[in-house]
Amino acid sequence: MSGYSGSEPLGRTAALEGTTPSARSQAASASQSHRLRSGGLIDRQQPLQFSFDGKVMSGFAGDTLASALVANGVKLVARSFKYHRPRGIITAGSEEPSALVEMRSGARKEPNTRATTQELYDGLVAQSQNRWPSLRRDFMSINQLAAPIFVAGFYYKTFMWPAKFWEKVYEPLIRRAAGLGKSAELPDPDHYDKAWAHCDVLVIGGGAAGLAAALAAGRAGSRVILVEEDSRLGGRLLSDGGEIDGMHAEEWVRRTVDELASLANVRIMVRTALFGVYDGGVYAALERVNDHVPLPGPHQVRQRVWRIVAKRSVVTAGAIERPVVFPGNDRPGVMMASAVRTYVHRFAAMPGRKVALFTNNDDGWRTVEAVQQAGGDIAAVIDPRGKVPAEYQALAELSDLRVFSGGVSDVKGGVDGVRGVVVTDNNGRTQQIDADCLAVSGGWNPNVGLSCFHRGRPVWRDDIAAFVPGDSPKGMTTAGAANGEFSLGACLRDGHTAGAAAAAECGASGNAGEASEAGDEVYAISPLWQVKAKGKAFVDFQHDVTASDVTLAQREGFESVEHLKRYTTLGMATDQGKTSNITGLAIMAEATGRTIPQTGTTIYRPPYAPVAIGALAGHHRDENFHAWRLTPSHHWAAARGAVFVDTGLWKRAQWYPQPGEKDWIESVTREVLAVRNGVGFCDVSTLGKVDVRGADAGTFLDRVYINAFSSLAVGKARYGLMLREDGIVMDDGTTSRIAEDHYFLTTTTAKAGPVMAHLEFCRQVLWPELDVQLSSASDQWAQFSIAGPNTRKLLQELVDPSEDMSNEGFPFMGAREVKLRGGVTARLFRISFSGEIAFEISVPARYGGAMAQNLMIAGRDLGVTPYGTEALGVMRIEKGHVAGPELNGTTTADDLGLGKMMSKKKDFIGRVMAGREALTAPDRQVVVGIKPLDQKRRLRSGAHVVPKGAIPGPETDQGYVTSVCYSPMMEQWIGLGLVERGRERFGEIVRIHDPLRSEDYEAEICNPVFYDPEGARQRG
Amino acid sequence: MVDYLWNTQSPLQKALVPGRHGAAGAHVGVTLNEVRDIVLVQVMARRGKAADAAKAAKKLFGIEAPATPKAVTGKTATLIWSGPDQFTVIAPRTDEASQLAAMVQVFAGSASLSDQSDGRCLIRVSGPRGRDAIAKFSSLDLHDLAFPVGAAANTSVDHTAVNLWREANGADGHPVYNMLVFTSFADSLWHTVVDSSLEYGVEAASARAA
Amino acid sequence: MRIACPFCGERENGEFTYLGDASPKRPNFAVDSGESPEGVEDAFYDYVYLRDNVAGYMREYWYHGGGCRSWLIAERNTVTHEFRSVTAAPGVGAAKPVQAGE
Ligand SMILES: [Zn+2]
């Protein structure tokens, strides 16, 4: 590392265009005032242009947005959440609480992106957030003057009353003032997806310990997945270097990665951040597939959520350096010591020329050498421990370091960054030191989040003044810095041991090899959480929680860490308190006189890092929001212009509009009249169909249905009703007997799945002694209902002449196979939902489209009309047939007027409980017909029924309207309803009250069978 | 008197657009085929008759019916495990009526049969990236060690039941997976499979079973 | 969560649906031998409604509806979600149980 380029003016990057690559590269270097002349894991042959707040700058491939900003000397990058204080870059990793920017623009705008993890690409556009009109002149910074109202609990205290102010005043006010980035308001044009991955050993984090673990597990022969959120493997080795197995750490990383890549049983996933740990060894990770390029290529995804199933996992997620709380600790230019080293060593970017270092531990001292080697000055080292660590004494003497025993009590500076640091030594003397950067280290917190997602509680270790994982989820171990092992040698050994053990537990028997070796540097620390002095001292940078907020919360009684979190919002931001939680609870511990372990941590929950909802949705958005099912005549219906309705997953033809029809009611009315006066057909393939076979099929159905089926003759169909075991109706449908040991059962469209599961439960759990086999035949058959007085004429056209289609030859409720002209065999059932002569005809699904076409041909002279689900619904309401709105999980067979079907001669599911007092009470709400007195009035379902003259309310409510339609036969709106003692009240005038639609009118309760109550038409 | 034509249709008649889709490039990552004209029968042993049903299968097809999640291929049919004491017979459709009649005869008394020839659609996924595409919609572990040639599974895709099995590797040396999906879901699942494959480049076609 | 179906192997929990406590047994109710529905009402009430709220291992019904369509009986720890065993219901497949309802 050599040479610090000093302060040149920023180049006009536009001038770079049209020059040779090397010229561009030189010009780019020249424009980066804080870029070192050499070194770093950047590609100086690949200069990249980017803009921040409209200002065009340049960086190099390998940069993050943050490192490029550092290289360009940019310190101010954000305004804070509550007080709009100027903020800079604090870390160099995913824990960044402060340098959040808005990436891209338009539909791809993405707020709250951490500049520290965003890889630089050519043409990158980023904006600062939470400021107006500009980052330097932010009017909202007057919030600082109003600071007293933003103290802990301010939401609770300020916006308590009056309640009516919430909607109109408080909420808009809070929403405008308190928010970081703004989301895009356009649909995201990019594609996201989800995928599954499986392995024996999942290694989480690709630093020294993770590489050692993956290598051991991979050499042993287990299936390994190594995930690393960074674009490169190596972790802190990329920033702190060192020596492993006698070679430079970077060389060791290169060789290790090469070996891992050569192993077929090892999969390396970079740019992949693990965010969730779930039961049974399931993990979730977000792969940022194309966030590092301007746009995903054609058909490429932007991000991908991985669900990884692993037998074992090794968490090698490292540790996070923690800040110290002191006044001014949020000034742009105050940075974690490890981040300073990362920018200098990995990115060859200098955060400052005169760096002051404030550390309470030996590790922080590494920064001295890193800055000096890069050509920077160490303005001073402030270490409260009062003594230079033995390892650094020679260096301190050699470079004549200014070392203070004390703490930083203030930081001078503003939007342009740090100008000076005020040191108060251990004797209380204060002096100011010139510096343009303050590197801070309060020690390291092992990353315990992932190991605590199953409510595991971390364990405090005094020697490192930090929590380490306690009870980890089953199958998970932790190694390296995440386990509190901070020396490089220990990380390598720990990782190797954990990886080898995990592989062995998965049955891998190969040779895991030997652990790599490195030195065991000393990590001594004397805890220091806070320097008490006058001024705002921040604990949580992202949510602007100060030390005094924590102590205020304590004084007001919010001592539990969970209360502290809610009251102050400490740790609730997008960074989930990665840099603030432990410090906050340490201050709380001191305030309450408890120890830190006594104070405890808040519960850790996924996601560990923010995940876009779009990534979680993946493929399932827009038309792919959920799967769909198509009926066999779907494409035929679509070609005829049918309007489709979603019925569960099904797309069903709702009606078939004809030219000139002004609205759907007109279309539906035409379809109903065509059926009632002629003939029509409707695809009813969506009904659930179950083949029930076996010697005991009849007995089985007797127990499932309230009525008998063992007595049903072969060749006949019967309407059946089944209850739940609590006596409430579950489902209904027609079931036919195809053969002695074969019934064909139908269910409603909605309940096909649940009924199948129920039948399997009955077969496998309740009555395993019965010989019954069940198979779903729902998709095997294209089934059509053909209805209307001309149905028989139509069928005579279609059916082979040898079939007897007379009323005697094919009586009501008959069911048998028939041959059709042209050689296809169909199942024909004479059942009616419409009240007309009707048949349901089934052919194998491959003939679904042909069947619809042939019905049109066979009925051409009869004016045959295809009808949709609306006309079907109208006709069933006219006939008083119950459907979903009446079979709604609250009604009994008797409520539906079907009580007489309940057999007294047998046990069946629900029989006993259906006899309970409340289910047989005389004042139950039962199905009735309802018609408004005003024949022009449109009835609407959901409206309440109250006695005429009564004031509507809970005491007078007697039921509600369940199903409505415009009835072409009655020439008015009619409906079905559930009304108390309804069957005794035919002819009574009641009040219909509809507060949702502000309607109130009178209607008559009547027989639910509006049309052809004698049922003559369907039997004719 | 008119003649009635009974043209048959595939559930993928609209969804399957033959040819190249998605990422361009010299290599096709995923090859998708609809395998048409199959006879497909679910065979469920009668209570206490599992051994008899297996014997009957052996008699008719000359192979052991799978008792664990596997697919076994004989001269005339492939038998795919589809649940305890049940399996699915798949055969190219030649003379459907006599194919079914032979089964009815041999399994009489030992198993109940359910003709599902129209109830399912068979989609074949192959090519160098086929497994990667499937990983986007299936939670199964399809690694060679976990799911070798002949392995079968009843599983769910998009919350609907799918039978998935692996047949012998293709001529290109890459795995070949078969997915039996419900007819009514086929259009939807085809879109899921294609969308999952687009980034690798797709070649789609339909073919008669052979 | 992963559930090891005794037939299919370990699968993702989305393939399964949960029914609850597997301990209550449906009371027998033999109309032919003169039993009245009223006589068994209490037993049915217990069967339908009364459940122990167990913190720890519990026998539960799970249905592998997204797989082999078997009803399973699992011992699951309601606190940790750990499964101790997963076995088949007595009438799975063509199994012929020794005694009805066991
Ligand atoms: Zn299963």
Side-chain angles (χ1 to χ4, degrees), chain B residues 81 83-84 154, chain C residues 4-9 11 15-16 64-70 72:
Chain B
W81 184 89
N154 286 25
Chain C
C5 171
F7 303 104
C8 303
R11 292 296 178 82
E15 294 190 356
F16 300 82
H64 195 191
C68 66
R69 292 195 307 150
S70 296
L72 306 171

Side-chain angles (χ1 to χ4, degrees), chain A residues 304 632 768 771 776 779 846, chain B residues 9 46-47 96 116 184 199:
Chain A
R304 179 174 292 151
D771 177 30
S776 166
D779 290 46
R846 76 187 83 150
Chain B
Q9 67 189 18
R46 299 275 295 262
R47 192 61 79 200
E96 193 174 11
Q116 298 284 350
S184 63
E199 68 169 298

Side-chain angles (χ1 to χ4, degrees), chain A residues 193-196 198 223 299-301 304 619-620 624 627-630 632 635 649-650 691 693-695 741 763 767-771 773-777 779-780 797-798 820-822 824 844-851 854 857-858 860, chain B residues 1-2 4-9 11 13-14 22-24 38 42 44-47 93 96 112-120 132 135-143 145-146 158 182-185 187-189 191-192 195 198-200:
Chain A
D193 72 12
K194 289 184 282 194
W196 289 86
H198 305 258
R223 288 169 64 191
H299 307 290
Q300 304 299 306
V301 298
R304 179 174 292 151
H619 169 74
H620 296 285
N624 295 311
W628 59 86
R629 301 178 75 176
L630 302 185
H635 300 303
L649 299 182
W650 288 101
D691 274 323
R693 289 181 165 86
D741 59 354
R763 189 188 87 82
W767 310 306
E769 72 279 12
L770 298 183
D771 177 30
Q773 291 78 43
L774 303 168
S775 56
S776 166
D779 290 46
Q780 168 71 10
E797 287 288 314
L798 190 64
L820 305 182
R821 291 182 205 267
V824 167
R846 76 187 83 150
Y847 302 119
M851 184 52 134
N854 289 339
I857 295 167
R860 188 162 42 203
Chain B
M1 200 66 43
V2 286
Y4 290 98
L5 293 176
W6 294 96
N7 296 326
T8 60
Q9 67 189 18
Q13 60 177 308
K14 282 280 188 298
I38 52 172
Q42 210 175 335
M44 296 160 286
R46 299 275 295 262
R47 192 61 79 200
R93 193 186 298 157
E96 193 174 11
S112 290
L113 309 183
S114 179
D115 180 5
Q116 298 284 350
S117 304
D118 292 68
R120 303 286 191 279
D132 295 321
K136 297 191 194 177
F137 52 79
S138 167
S139 59
L140 293 181
D141 182 0
L142 295 185
H143 189 273
L145 296 172
D158 281 355
F182 281 105
T183 301
S184 63
F185 278 103
D187 187 277
S188 174
L189 292 188
H191 278 91
T192 298
D195 285 358
L198 286 176
E199 68 169 298
Y200 310 121

Side-chain angles (χ1 to χ4, degrees), chain B residues 189-209:
Chain B
L189 292 188
W190 180 265
H191 278 91
T192 298
V193 176
V194 170
D195 285 358
S196 301
S197 309
L198 286 176
E199 68 169 298
Y200 310 121
V202 184
E203 179 75 35
S206 67
R208 272 190 61 90

Side-chain angles (χ1 to χ4, degrees), chain A residues 555-577:
Chain A
R555 287 199 303 278
E556 295 188 348
F558 298 92
E559 293 188 351
S560 135
V561 283
E562 296 290 355
H563 289 157
L564 170 67
K565 176 174 173 175
R566 272 88 192 161
Y567 197 59
T568 62
T569 72
L570 170 72
M572 288 175 78
T574 60
D575 67 343
Q576 288 289 289

Side-chain angles (χ1 to χ4, degrees), chain A residues 481-786:
Chain A
N483 199 28
E485 298 293 342
F486 291 151
S487 84
L488 182 52
C491 281
L492 293 166
R493 288 191 300 274
D494 205 23
H496 176 85
T497 306
E505 286 165 23
C506 295
S509 54
N511 182 358
E514 296 296 316
S516 289
E517 286 177 14
D520 285 314
E521 62 273 27
V522 176
Y523 174 77
I525 181 169
S526 167
L528 172 73
W529 306 102
Q530 182 185 7
V531 177
K532 286 179 188 157
K534 199 169 150 25
K536 272 200 182 338
F538 288 86
V539 180
D540 182 330
F541 296 103
Q542 198 177 125
H543 259 171
D544 268 1
V545 179
T546 62
S548 56
D549 288 331
V550 176
T551 50
L552 177 67
Q554 186 270 329
R555 287 199 303 278
E556 295 188 348
F558 298 92
E559 293 188 351
S560 135
V561 283
E562 296 290 355
H563 289 157
L564 170 67
K565 176 174 173 175
R566 272 88 192 161
Y567 197 59
T568 62
T569 72
L570 170 72
M572 288 175 78
T574 60
D575 67 343
Q576 288 289 289
K578 288 183 179 63
T579 55
S580 63
N581 280 342
I582 306 295
T583 312
L585 71 91
I587 293 170
M588 177 59 86
E590 192 203 306
T592 54
R594 294 175 298 187
T595 64
I596 291 170
Q598 279 168 346
T599 306
T601 55
T602 51
I603 290 171
Y604 293 83
R605 295 186 182 86
Y608 177 76
V611 185
I613 297 292
L616 293 173
H619 169 74
H620 296 285
R621 55 178 278 192
D622 304 323
E623 69 274 17
N624 295 311
F625 183 61
H626 58 66
W628 59 86
R629 301 178 75 176
L630 302 185
T631 66
S633 68
H634 181 88
H635 300 303
W636 175 87
R640 289 188 70 87
V643 171
F644 292 96
V645 60
D646 283 350
T647 310
L649 299 182
W650 288 101
K651 302 220 173 281
R652 300 192 70 181
Q654 198 172 11
W655 63 83
Y656 295 80
Q658 294 269 303
E661 287 174 346
K662 67 179 188 301
D663 60 13
W664 65 273
I665 294 180
E666 196 176 331
S667 305
V668 172
T669 298
R670 170 183 51 75
E671 291 174 11
V672 171
L673 291 171
V675 173
R676 297 249 184 255
N677 297 323
V679 63
F681 68 89
C682 176
D683 190 329
V684 293
S685 308
T686 61
L687 295 176
K689 306 173 206 73
V690 184
D691 274 323
V692 183
R693 289 181 165 86
D696 299 318
T699 309
F700 179 78
L701 293 179
D702 283 347
R703 296 183 189 181
V704 165
Y705 280 122
I706 66 173
N707 46 335
F709 277 83
S710 54
S711 58
L712 184 68
V714 172
K716 292 291 251 181
R718 182 171 285 170
Y719 173 77
L721 192 70
M722 52 179 89
L723 306 185
R724 311 189 308 214
E725 196 68 273
D726 65 358
I728 298 294
V729 171
M730 174 186 276
D731 200 44
D732 69 347
T734 308
T735 289
S736 327
R737 194 164 194 175
I738 307 279
E740 261 320 297
D741 59 354
H742 181 192
Y743 290 80
F744 182 68
L745 177 151
T746 67
T747 75
T748 59
T749 299
K751 290 283 172 62
V755 167
M756 190 66 186
H758 171 68
L759 295 176
E760 287 287 11
F761 182 80
C762 293
R763 189 188 87 82
Q764 298 178 30
V765 177
L766 297 184
W767 310 306
E769 72 279 12
L770 298 183
D771 177 30
V772 178
Q773 291 78 43
L774 303 168
S775 56
S776 166
S778 296
D779 290 46
Q780 168 71 10
W781 299 99
Q783 190 151 328
F784 294 83
S785 172
I786 310 165

